[in-house]
């Protein structure tokens, strides 16, 4: 019961309380836009909405997203315990309206009504040698998920080769195609290498990084900076109204690939960049 309640509180915080780095990026975007423009007005409304949601402990967006958890736990712990707690927390969070019912059976079209179903919540387990548990939660919106993309390099239509220059071209192409869909400004997660599945998984895992946190790889850190600058020159702006801020951040990671393949996956999340984590050590629980 205690684990379930801790996870419930994690969900509540993610749904209703936008993280400080995201709010700061939105304020910076507001300050960057020209007075009297649609972009300035949109960012003003977004910032007001963020504050109201936090004060009232209500969802910051009507689409509360899919529940995705990455759980790191000590060797010997049972995955079943965490799965049962996560499912119970999702059910309770739906009753309390921190979550909207977002788990639909693709065969019958029936909504489970409680955010629990096959692979819902989606849980990724990893054992580690630490004596503490880390639960990272992402509430991933459906609209922004629809504008994600995957490319297979080389891409002759974009003249994108199997190198970082080619990666840059396909990321710009993906964001340009998204336009205002997916509730721009977006945060872009990029996974280079792997296969079709793991490249997407790697790209989405980048959403657990804080905005402005550069890659530990200097080449990828430089590419993140270049893409952040170039994407904000597209002029798409918040919700596609035009403006100086199309992107709030770019996080990139790479993994080894098969010699015959070169996949680049681009995951897109909207300005409602909902992710929180908690650390459980003994009886103490901390949230970030």
């Amino acid at each position: 019961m205690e684990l379930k309640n801790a996870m419930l509180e994690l969900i509540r915080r993610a749904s209703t309380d936008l993280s400080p780095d995201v709010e700061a990026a939105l304020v910076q975007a507001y300050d960057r836009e020209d007075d009297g423009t649609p972009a300035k007005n949109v960012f003003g409304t977004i910032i007001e909405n963020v504050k109201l949601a936090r004060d009232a402990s209500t969802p910051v967006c009507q689409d509360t997203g899919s529940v995705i958890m990455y759980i790191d736990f000590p060797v010997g712990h049972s995955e079943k315990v965490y799965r049962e707690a996560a499912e119970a927390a999702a059910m309770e969070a739906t009753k309390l309206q921190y979550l909207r019912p977002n788990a639909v059976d693709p065969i019958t079209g029936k909504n489970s009504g409680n955010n629990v179903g096959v692979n819902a919540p989606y849980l990724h387990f990893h054992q580690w040698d630490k004596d503490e548990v880390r639960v990272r939660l992402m509430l991933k919106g459906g609209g922004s998920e629809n504008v994600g993309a995957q490319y297979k390099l080389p891409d002759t239509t974009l003249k994108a080769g199997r190198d970082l220059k080619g990666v840059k071209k396909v990321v710009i192409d993906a964001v340009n195609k998204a336009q205002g869909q997916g509730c721009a400004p977006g945060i872009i997660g990029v996974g280079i290498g792997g296969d079709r599945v793991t490249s997407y998984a790697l790209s989405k895992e980048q959403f657990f990084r804080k905005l402005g946190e550069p890659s530990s790889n200097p080449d990828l850190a430089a590419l993140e900076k270049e893409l952040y600058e170039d994407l904000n020159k597209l002029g798409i702006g918040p919700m596609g109204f035009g403006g100086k801020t199309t992107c709030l951040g770019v996080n990139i990671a790479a993994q080894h690939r098969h010699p015959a393949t070169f996949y680049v996956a681009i995951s897109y999340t909207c300005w409602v960049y909902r992710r929180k984590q908690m650390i459980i050590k003994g009886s103490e629980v901390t949230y970030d």
Side-chain angles (χ1 to χ4, degrees), residues 38 51 152 180 191:
K51 294 177 180 177
K152 179 169 62 71

Side-chain angles (χ1 to χ4, degrees), residues 148-191:
Q150 187 178 66
Y151 293 79
K152 179 169 62 71
L153 298 182
D155 188 312
T156 56
T157 59
L158 296 174
K159 298 181 180 179
R162 289 182 160 191
D163 51 29
L164 293 186
K165 290 183 180 178
V167 171
K168 182 177 179 179
K169 286 182 179 180
V170 299
V171 173
I172 292 174
D173 184 65
V175 176
N176 190 49
K177 285 179 177 176
Q179 290 293 305
Q181 298 178 50
C183 294
I187 296 89
I188 312 303
V190 182

Side-chain angles (χ1 to χ4, degrees), residues 258-270:
H258 187 282
T261 67
F262 197 122
Y263 291 108
V264 180
I266 296 103
S267 287
Y268 188 111
T269 193
C270 59

Side-chain angles (χ1 to χ4, degrees), residues 129-145:
D129 294 329
K130 298 182 181 180
D131 63 349
E132 62 188 29
V133 177
R134 179 178 69 170
V135 181
R136 292 178 293 168
L137 169 66
M138 179 192 313
L139 299 180
K140 184 67 173 65
S144 61
E145 188 71 5

Side-chain angles (χ1 to χ4, degrees), residues 6-19 57 98 137 139 274-277 286-288:
M7 287 187 170
L8 174 61
E9 175 62 10
L10 184 67
I11 292 171
R12 185 195 71 80
R13 289 174 181 240
S15 178
T16 67
D17 184 12
L18 212 58
S19 295
S57 194
Y98 299 139
L137 169 66
L139 299 180
R274 292 163 298 195
R275 49 101 171 92
K276 297 284 186 181
Q277 77 169 17
T286 57
Y287 297 92
D288 179 23

Side-chain angles (χ1 to χ4, degrees), residues 63-81:
D63 176 9
T64 58
S66 296
V67 180
I68 300 171
M69 286 186 182
Y70 277 57
I71 303 174
D72 304 298
F73 59 91
V75 175
H77 283 208
S78 169
E79 291 184 5
K80 181 182 178 182
V81 171

